């Protein structure tokens, strides 16, 4: 049976809120592609960081079902209002919070979130545009588009449960292979669920999950306080020639 996702005609909107575009569609397509795994995963708590129009969190709720609890955050209060309208139009519910990433929620949600979805501000821009008011905050990513991404990664690591999954939109300019390496050093395996080339961007939707073999390797990395150049080169080369990076034979 095909899954319902949020309908564009039912989305609320506001001039200062980012409307769904290729990156939003790619993220939802990744969730659809991973639907069987998501249903078997049976998440109890799902979180979107930066909900914008509400297209992604609404689609996730429609795919997974209302047995799970949903939370969505955005630094833009207009986005929170728009997301509320989108959710209501589709008959689904999420707890909505106006905050920067997950500020104020990290103690409450630490180690409890089973699924995090995020379409971060990834566009390379001057640093002074990062976190500005209005719609620009939805895309301004600073140098290499990594300023906000690099803040999100440790937050996600803190919030994710032992079985937690993170789905993140990245751009080639963000150096996604380096992001995967950083997460591997924290004990995560990863794979590209969807890769999409548009007229302007090369997008990758990457899924991260805690992996026992990666955790053992991460402990070894900490013990040695460094990762050899040979190991780094091996990981980075795999990213370019394979559709995923992982630490074991168990693919999530």
């Amino acid at each position: 049976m095909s899954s319902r996702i949020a309908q564009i005609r039912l989305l609320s909107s506001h001039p200062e809120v980012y409307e769904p575009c290729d990156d939003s569609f790619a993220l939802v397509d990744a969730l659809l592609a991973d639907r069987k795994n998501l249903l078997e995963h049976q998440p109890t708590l799902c979180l979107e960081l930066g909900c914008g129009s509400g297209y992604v969190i609404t689609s996730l709720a429609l795919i997974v079902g209302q047995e799970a609890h949903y939370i969505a955050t955005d630094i833009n209060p207009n986005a929170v209002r728009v997301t509320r309208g989108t959710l209501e139009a589709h008959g689904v519910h999420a707890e909505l919070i106006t905050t920067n990433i997950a500020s104020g929620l990290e103690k409450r949600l630490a180690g409890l979130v089973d699924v995090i979805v995020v379409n971060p501000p990834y566009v390379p821009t001057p640093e002074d545009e990062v976190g500005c008011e209005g719609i620009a905050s939805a895309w301004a990513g600073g140098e290499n588009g990594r300023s906000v991404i690099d803040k999100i990664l440790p937050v996600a690591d803190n919030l994710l449960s032992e079985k937690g999954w993170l789905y993140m939109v990245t751009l080639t300019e963000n150096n996604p292979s380096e992001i995967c390496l950083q997460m591997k050093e924290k004990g995560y395996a990863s794979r590209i669920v969807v890769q999409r080339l548009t007229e302007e961007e090369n997008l990758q939707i990457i899924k991260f999950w805690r992996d026992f073999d990666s955790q053992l390797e991460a402990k070894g990395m900490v013990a040695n306080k460094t990762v050899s150049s040979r190991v780094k080169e091996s990981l980075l080369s795999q990213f370019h020639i394979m559709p995923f990076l992982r630490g074991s034979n168990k693919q999530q």
Side-chain angles (χ1 to χ4, degrees):
M1 182 177 67
S2 61
S3 286
R4 288 178 57 207
I5 59 172
Q7 302 299 301
I8 298 300
R9 63 183 177 83
L10 296 178
L11 298 185
S12 295
S13 63
H14 186 280
E16 291 298 317
V17 174
Y18 184 74
E19 294 185 352
C21 199
D22 291 322
D23 47 4
S24 315
F25 301 143
L27 179 52
V28 170
D29 284 349
L31 298 175
L32 284 171
D34 215 30
R35 175 179 179 267
K36 183 175 182 293
N37 290 327
L38 279 166
L39 294 177
E40 291 175 352
H41 192 52
Q42 296 183 326
T44 58
L45 179 57
C46 302
L47 169 67
E48 180 175 17
L49 302 175
C51 53
S53 69
Y55 175 72
V56 175
I57 191 67
T58 301
S59 294
L60 179 61
L62 290 169
I63 292 169
V64 173
Q66 286 293 288
E67 294 80 8
H69 181 73
Y70 299 89
I71 301 175
T73 72
D74 204 293
I75 195 172
N76 182 351
N78 292 313
V80 170
R81 285 191 288 270
V82 167
T83 293
R84 180 173 291 109
T86 297
L87 289 162
E88 290 175 353
H90 289 83
V92 292
H93 174 75
E95 181 181 349
L96 302 176
I97 301 169
T98 303
T99 189
N100 184 17
I101 305 178
S103 179
L105 299 174
E106 294 187 66
K107 287 186 178 180
R108 170 190 165 193
L109 301 181
L112 297 177
V113 184
D114 295 324
V115 174
I116 296 177
V117 291
V118 56
N119 181 7
Y122 58 70
V123 177
T125 64
E127 285 294 330
D128 59 8
E129 294 183 15
V130 176
C132 59
E133 293 185 1
I135 194 170
S137 65
W139 65 69
E143 184 177 358
N144 300 321
R146 288 284 296 275
S147 291
V148 180
I149 289 175
D150 288 342
K151 293 176 182 176
I152 288 172
L153 295 177
V155 172
D157 180 38
N158 176 57
L159 298 182
L160 285 170
S161 67
E162 281 301 310
K163 70 171 192 174
W165 295 348
L166 166 66
Y167 296 85
M168 175 181 282
V169 179
T170 66
L171 185 69
T172 297
E173 287 80 354
N174 303 148
N175 197 350
S177 56
E178 183 180 83
I179 294 172
C180 289
L181 179 59
Q182 287 182 10
M183 291 298 280
K184 187 175 181 66
E185 291 172 355
K186 293 179 181 293
Y188 289 84
S190 57
R191 69 181 178 94
I192 297 174
V193 182
V194 166
Q195 184 161 357
R196 183 153 302 162
L197 183 63
T198 72
E199 291 183 1
E200 299 178 348
E201 299 175 324
N202 187 357
L203 300 166
Q204 298 91 28
I205 314 303
I206 305 176
K207 177 183 179 181
F208 299 92
W209 67 94
R210 298 186 190 275
D211 177 74
F212 181 71
D213 289 346
S214 295
Q215 290 172 354
L216 289 178
E217 291 181 29
K219 290 179 181 178
M221 292 173 186
V222 172
N224 295 327
K225 296 184 180 180
T226 186
V227 183
S228 70
S229 297
R230 185 169 60 184
V231 171
K232 285 186 178 181
E233 289 172 3
S234 174
L235 285 169
L236 297 177
S237 65
Q238 286 183 58
F239 188 87
H240 294 295
I241 64 175
M242 300 175 68
F244 54 85
L245 279 173
R246 57 183 178 172
S248 73
N249 292 327
K250 290 183 68 177
Q251 181 176 327
Q252 297 290 327

